Amino acid sequence: MSLLVVGLSHRSAPVSVLERAALSTDAQIKLLQDTVAAEPATEAALLATCNRIELYADVDKFHAGVAELSTLLAQHSGVGLEELTPYLYVHYEDRAVHHLFSVACGLDSMVVGEGQILGQIKDSLATAQDLHTAGRLLNDLFQQALRVGKRAHSETGIDRAGQSLVTFGLEQLAAAADVPAWARGKRALVIGAGSMSSLAAATLARAGVDEVVVANRTFERAERLAQILTEADDNAVTARAVEMSAVPAELTRADVVVSCTGATGLVLTAEAVAQAVEGRTGEPAVAAFTAVQTEAPLPAAGPGDENCPLDLAAVPTGFSVMGEAAVAGMDAATLEQHAAWVAGGTVERPGRRSPEADAELITALAATVATVGRIPERRRPEPPAERPAPFFFLLDLAMPRDIDAAVHRLAGVRLVDIESLAESSADAPMAADVDLVRRIVSDEVAAFGAAQRAAHITPTVVALRTMAADVVAGEIARLDGRLPDLDERQRGEIRQAVHRVVDKLLHAPTVRVKQLAAEPGGAGYADALRTLFDLDPETVASVSRAVDSTDTKDRPA
């Protein structure tokens, strides 16, 4: 077994990198095909979710495999290899098995114990099977991971350690309030009709919202989800489907918006949300900021400010015109002008970076925006008491993000996205059941390794017994030629006696070699057996191919 996984997740990379590295469906398919076409890999499967991208492969060389898989991830994600490498992690053989089993149990999830990852692992396996990139090793691995995940949820209270990402997101939207009490009477707009959006719609319906409106690029899928919600027995919600073109109008009616699509760009811009707020209140949307900032307040405009490319009147108090927050959303050309203006500044601002340091920062941001198209909003801590009570709630579960993070500036709007969920869940309490799940994972990893090592020697044992049967058949044929006067009963007795002798001689060694091979470091016993009995390598390989073919044929899709 030479299992290798190379990946990145919310634990190893910032959300901005995960967002840029997100793979479209077509890119995922091409990545799998290119992986098995590469020399070190014979099998491949991809686990791509909103907060992780992991490429699994069966490789014959570790270092070459790491280099090839890392390069392929960079090529297909569009993030340069040098930039991506610091965020990648690598697991090999038993450590790779341990990692996937931990992921399947929800131990590595943003919200510990969430169960949706099991469906994502199942989808990953189905994709690899459809593309014929998963062979015996990855089929066994992913199917066992699903069984381990189900066992963890059924035998422990891991579900109490955390909730699904949807539930956790709604809890963050509701702040200190009870979710059903918070949701009661609200109108919800769900953008997208995939698995995450469907889960969000069903959760909102059970929580007690009055209406769920589903918008999707494929209207038929939106209609299907709306029908499922309407016919469900565990809620009394009114549900309907709309075209994506109706989203701006629906925004003015909705109290809660959940978005999770596969779009590569923003689905809801800050301007669209501001217009929706204005449509609800009848007044222009205004920005709301607090005085708790990491940057010094903006000083009054002076003689050196007339050439600043920013509209100083539009910059809110509490944000430095030279800091990160001031440049959020700028295009590359404006950023370059802004960096030049900062570099030429002469006004020192106490308690902040020098103009030279700001110039370097903004130049780096300009390089970033030239690649990704925009500068992500940098949030600042905002005590709830210093903001008006929110009346418009937005939950962004997409990666890359669907909703412009700049909408958090708007008064009366509360936005929860993958980034803020990661921050909120970092200090979430761990249930005692997590330790039980870890023990289950350790036991299952040991059992899986033993089974794989035992399976590795099976073709050699089969080849040995086949060779023994051929020797017996040859000797019986020779005996028939030398003793032609023997009757059939005598021949049968001799044949059975020879077979019993061979079986008894081979029984103990083959049973013992299987036991030894199942132990750590037991892979060499197959080689020893082949050497001792001078077995033909091609005969062993043909047995192995036959076993793999039977396993694949009998395996459910």
Side-chain angles (χ1 to χ4, degrees), residues 113-138:
E114 62 94 8
Q116 188 175 2
I117 187 65
L118 285 173
Q120 294 163 334
I121 291 175
K122 183 178 180 181
D123 292 342
S124 297
L125 175 59
T127 299
Q129 289 175 335
D130 290 343
L131 296 173
H132 305 289
T133 62
R136 179 175 183 176
L137 174 59
L138 292 184

Side-chain angles (χ1 to χ4, degrees), residues 252-274:
T252 63
R253 302 180 65 253
D255 303 298
V256 183
V257 178
V258 179
S259 187
C260 186
T261 72
T264 55
L266 292 175
V267 175
L268 295 181
T269 63
E271 292 76 14
V273 175

Side-chain angles (χ1 to χ4, degrees), residues 367-489:
T368 301
V369 79
T371 303
V372 303
R374 57 187 286 275
I375 291 295
E377 176 73 16
R378 291 289 298 273
R379 287 192 294 273
R380 297 294 194 272
E382 299 177 19
E386 298 191 18
R387 289 178 63 100
F391 57 82
F392 197 27
F393 302 87
L394 298 98
L395 177 59
D396 185 358
L397 298 173
M399 183 63 68
R401 72 185 73 209
D402 279 349
I403 304 174
D404 191 341
V407 304
H408 87 282
R409 295 185 178 190
L410 299 175
V413 176
R414 176 176 293 161
L415 170 66
V416 171
D417 56 16
I418 293 294
E419 186 175 6
S420 56
L421 284 174
E423 294 168 356
S424 299
S425 63
D427 299 323
M430 300 284 284
D433 296 273
V434 168
D435 290 334
L436 296 177
V437 174
R438 286 175 176 155
R439 286 198 288 271
I440 289 175
V441 169
S442 297
D443 292 344
E444 291 284 357
V445 170
F448 182 82
Q452 290 296 310
R453 289 187 288 269
H456 179 68
I457 204 170
T458 297
T460 303
V461 172
V462 172
L464 173 60
R465 289 191 171 276
T466 300
M467 184 192 74
D470 291 342
V471 170
V472 169
E475 290 301 314
I476 293 296
R478 191 175 68 84
L479 184 63
D480 287 345
R482 296 184 62 180
L483 298 174
D485 296 333
L486 292 176
D487 58 32
E488 284 302 317
R489 186 185 64 79

Side-chain angles (χ1 to χ4, degrees), residues 127-413:
T127 299
Q129 289 175 335
D130 290 343
L131 296 173
H132 305 289
T133 62
R136 179 175 183 176
L137 174 59
L138 292 184
N139 269 295
D140 290 348
L141 174 69
F142 273 67
Q143 289 186 3
Q144 186 64 20
L146 291 171
R147 287 190 285 268
V148 173
K150 292 175 182 176
R151 179 187 170 192
H153 284 279
S154 64
E155 295 183 12
T156 75
I158 187 66
D159 293 333
R160 295 193 298 268
Q163 310 81 23
S164 73
L165 206 57
V166 170
T167 304
F168 190 59
L170 293 177
E171 289 180 351
Q172 295 302 304
L173 282 183
D178 177 62
V179 171
W182 166 82
R184 192 173 300 117
K186 286 183 169 59
R187 291 183 294 248
L189 170 63
V190 176
I191 304 176
S195 58
M196 186 73 83
S197 299
S198 300
L199 178 60
T203 303
L204 285 166
R206 287 193 297 269
V209 295
D210 280 353
E211 179 186 46
V212 175
V213 178
V214 183
N216 193 59
R217 297 188 189 283
T218 304
F219 182 69
E220 290 74 16
R221 294 192 64 182
E223 276 190 317
R224 191 178 310 121
L225 176 54
Q227 182 179 0
I228 292 172
L229 294 173
T230 301
E231 296 175 353
D233 295 330
D234 56 353
N235 68 74
V237 72
T238 299
R240 57 187 175 88
V242 298
E243 302 279 359
M244 285 294 290
S245 58
V247 166
E250 294 296 336
L251 283 176
T252 63
R253 302 180 65 253
D255 303 298
V256 183
V257 178
V258 179
S259 187
C260 186
T261 72
T264 55
L266 292 175
V267 175
L268 295 181
T269 63
E271 292 76 14
V273 175
Q275 291 173 5
V277 171
E278 184 176 350
R280 293 171 60 93
T281 63
E283 299 178 359
V286 296
F289 295 94
T290 71
V292 182
Q293 305 296 344
T294 59
E295 300 287 354
L298 178 68
D305 292 330
E306 64 271 8
N307 295 320
C308 176
L310 285 176
D311 178 6
L312 295 181
V315 179
T317 301
F319 280 79
S320 167
V321 76
M322 294 185 180
E324 300 96 325
V327 300
M330 281 189 180
D331 58 32
T334 306
L335 275 168
E336 291 173 358
Q337 296 173 14
H338 186 48
W341 175 79
V342 171
T346 58
V347 180
E348 290 293 335
R349 289 160 169 80
R352 54 161 288 104
R353 292 185 297 270
S354 67
E356 292 79 8
D358 267 328
E360 291 180 5
L361 170 65
I362 296 170
T363 301
L365 290 173
T368 301
V369 79
T371 303
V372 303
R374 57 187 286 275
I375 291 295
E377 176 73 16
R378 291 289 298 273
R379 287 192 294 273
R380 297 294 194 272
E382 299 177 19
E386 298 191 18
R387 289 178 63 100
F391 57 82
F392 197 27
F393 302 87
L394 298 98
L395 177 59
D396 185 358
L397 298 173
M399 183 63 68
R401 72 185 73 209
D402 279 349
I403 304 174
D404 191 341
V407 304
H408 87 282
R409 295 185 178 190
L410 299 175
V413 176

